[in-house]
Amino acid sequence: MSDKKYKDILTGHNYDGIQEYDNPTPGWWWLVFHCCIAFAVCYFVFFHISIYGWTRDEAYSAEVKRNFDKQFAALGQLEVNGETIARFLNEPQWLDVGRTVFQTNCISCHGKQGEGLVGPNMTDDRYKNIKQIGDFGTVISNGAAKGAMPAWKTRLSPNEIVLVASYVASLRGQNLSGPRPPEGDVPPPWPVPDKPADAETPAKPDAPK
Amino acid sequence: MNHPTDASGSEKVAPTPGAAPTARLETFTYNDAIVRMFLTATLLWALVAMSVGLFIALQLAFPRLSFGLPFLTFGRLRPLHTNAAIFAFAGNAVFAAIYYSTQRLLKARMWSDMLGQLHFWGWQLIIVLAALTLPAGVTQSKEYAELEWPIDLLIAVVWVAFFGVNFFMTLKTRRERHMYVAIWFYIATIITVAVLHVFNNLVVPAGLFKSYSIYAGVQDAFMQWWYGHNAVAFFLTTPFLGMMYYFVPKAADRPVFSYRLSIVHFWSLVFIYIWAGPHHLHYTALPEWASTLGMIFSVMLWMPSWGGGINGLLTLRGAWHKVTSDPVLKFFVVGITFYMMATFEGPMMSVKSVNALSHYTDWTIGHVHAGALGWNGFMTFGMMYFLLPRLFQTKLYSQKLAEWHFWLGTIGILLYIVAMYIAGLTQGLMWRALDENGRLMYPDFVETVTRIIPYYWMRAIGGGMYLTGVGIAAFNFAMTWKSRPATYTETEHQAAPLSDDDFTPEVRPESQLQGVAEIGKKLDVWSTMWWHRKWERLPLRFTVWTTIAVIVASLFEIVPTFLIRSNVPTIASVKPYTPLELAGRDIYVSEGCYNCHSQMIRPILAETKRYGDYSKPGEFVYDHPFQWGSRRIGPDLAREGGKQSHLWHLLHFQDPPQVTPNSIMPNYGWFERKKLDFASIPVRLRAAHYLGAPYDDAVLNDPISVARAQAKQIADELRQQAGGGDPRRVPDNAPPTFQHDVALEDTQVIALIAYLQRLGTDIYKQPDAKPAAPQPTPTPTPVAAASADNSAKGAQ
């Protein structure tokens, strides 16, 4: 700021020795201030008065739909049952989706690898509430053990429930060691999926007992 | 004219210009003793506030630092830190500035020495009470308004009856006809803080140490951030601008750059600031129009804020050579620079899409510390170094130490805010990161915490440097004080009292415009602001207009928020808390859980994927006070109900890392040992009922039995989940016959679990469902649960 820009004429005010110049408010200050006001007015009119704006909820719903399509376009809406759960046992790409659901919601009780913590070990052969593969869907949806296992049907979509169920089912036989003793009975082996998977197996090779 | 290094003894006051040189001159002195008191308190409380800040900053990097002691947890100490920094440190600095400059600007001693003393001691008493009650868990849980109602009453009395009356009576008895811009800012401060304080703290008391906000949920959140934002505006901005307008031209010995800019930015600042509060609530259950107003007024606020900054910096034209040698000016220049930085950043963060990223992260923490340490802190220290020689009538003990203070402080702030910017951006981006298949990239919350721990260390180092600087200042202060004279000289000043005889009123100028409509000419004359000069000698009119500016703007937002029913659509299945849940909620409030956990899921994809469906306004109608929080040091809890087992919660409170490795939450081991105060439940329930929560007569008549029944049920479920035994921790050296002092169903942890299991579950219930205990859905496959022998032990 060169001093020449402002005339620096004193107003004649004097307060305890403090004087004031009669300089104008800088032009750029007014310009930016007016631009901000114009932006404010336009923003309000666009989003709250005009027919072109959209609401927060509309934007969110569109995003949810895009995300669903991105994740599940190939699957459509799944039904939670044993057959569907078994279908994904050999599909690593979908088991990986299930793994994310597990990492988001389940590891605080079942451990990061499913080895058990407050909740039972999911990697051994024994299950407390599972007699057949379809039971994974029911237990995850509705909870079990008097609320020790929470109900997830209000939090997860059916697709997510199916995929996390498949993921958990796929952990069977890894026999990771966890803090809890083995619990429950040994159900019969899971049915082989209708659609045989590729050569690779989704789960890591078992550690021999 | 003063030279900045002159001691106050040399001040000479010229008689009022325009006053008739008669013998009517009055002789008076200034009360500097009260300024010395406030300045001393400023520095002492700075040390306290910043030490607590450093301590809780270290707790985030090293959680064990709470030592399992209730009064040392982050949730209880963080309010102590913020209250001490704002009201004790900045507050006393503001009072020192106002008492020193007002007397000189008005050529009048403060109206009453006694009121000054009452103000000083009353305020210190408030701070001491805050330091005693906050760590004890006595809190209203509204940020920067945590103090409970008896202390709030004391604040109102001290602020209005002692400080306000003293200030306005001094204004009335002034000998300077016109009010300088600093005084305008002081008026705005005193009026607005009083209004904010009263209306945000309206509560229904339930005993001496507990109260419930009269507002609920959305409205409570709105009032809180109307208050919270304007506490920043009218406690940390306007009085400091007043301070700047007095001390910067004084220290630089230069005229203020532009009188007209002062007028324009004062009124635009006062009018616009008050609207901006809702920007703290973007994407929450607050109605969208209010959120938009908060955003656009924040954007418009950019230039009014900068008006103060440029008027301060441009006042230094022709004095920049002094800045290199004078620590006072150095502090001021950096202080104003941080002000301009923070008031650019603020509007930017208030833009909704930016806020979607920055909200709940450490970015906000960085932003406020740029303001608090940079602007408030450095303006205060600049003023302190200006005042020390004048107040103690001696030389500053060491110029060199002041330089050290300056550099340690400056580098400290930079380290601090850079650390917080990186931490905030890192965490914000991790929370929202989706992989190419549209899934959360970092589904485990704790992963986003461990990633930023290094920056917590960096922040602690920056904060430690700043605190060290303040320690040096305290030493410099004490040594200067030691070399004070045996008795202070009280300089006598002379001025004539104001009289209508010896003054000519302002003349309305004529427009020079040619060939313009009459309205154009009127506008031209108006824009010369000659009328404002008139206002400046009419304090009452000035105060009334300031009050109108603030109140009208507030009402524009408050009235629709409270009156339009569609803002908070009711949800039939949302029911009041049960007596036990209410008691649990009060513990949650008392522990300050909101300091780390939000209860507000925003309609943002990554957020609903992580936490569940977004929060609806109707879910909070029984929340007195609201608990939405403002920072997620831990995950959101709005839909925590039913997400974990009772047992998980118990083990988590016992020692969080045993169920969440790397958790930085302090342990709350006493929850499972301490007895719940069942006897206090009826008064809590009556307060909730009085505030509109419908309860059956059965519940109202005997809430204790209802609470005990629910506690019994939860305790039973806990034992079942633990395999039959008591899941609580047994002391290491306990005998085999060990018995807990308190039965499981009588402990605080049961009430907390009851509350947490209720959170966010009502909207999934049938409208006619009973609001009783959280009923787990019956298991459709009733397999006999194999006896899981003490799973609690297994988890440890």
Side-chain angles (χ1 to χ4, degrees), chain B residues 429-487:
Chain B
L429 290 170
M430 286 175 87
W431 287 342
R432 60 158 58 171
L434 299 177
D435 64 14
E436 68 278 13
N437 297 318
R439 293 170 290 154
L440 286 179
M441 209 125 100
Y442 305 98
D444 186 5
F445 185 90
V446 84
E447 209 180 337
T448 72
V449 177
T450 42
R451 185 71 70 87
I452 60 175
I453 297 287
Y455 306 107
Y456 282 158
W457 285 111
M458 181 173 162
R459 180 255 295 268
I461 293 168
M465 287 177 72
Y466 194 92
L467 178 60
T468 309
V470 178
I472 291 173
F475 176 72
N476 214 348
F477 187 112
M479 296 308 286
T480 309
W481 171 78
K482 271 180 92 174
S483 64
R484 72 196 183 284
T487 48

Side-chain angles (χ1 to χ4, degrees), chain B residues 139-142 145-153 197-215 220 624-625 687 690-691:
Chain B
T139 172
Q140 295 184 153
S141 85
K142 293 170 89 168
E146 282 96 346
L147 300 176
E148 264 300 351
W149 66 273
I151 309 176
D152 283 341
L153 287 177
H197 174 71
V198 168
F199 286 96
N200 189 41
N201 284 303
L202 295 177
V203 294
V204 173
L208 201 55
F209 299 115
K210 175 70 193 165
S211 64
Y212 296 92
S213 171
I214 62 161
Y215 318 107
D220 196 38
H624 300 268
Y690 176 77
L691 286 167

Side-chain angles (χ1 to χ4, degrees), chain B residues 228-242:
Chain B
H229 182 74
N230 288 306
V232 174
F234 291 91
F235 206 92
L236 298 177
T237 304
T238 53
F240 280 86
L241 283 169

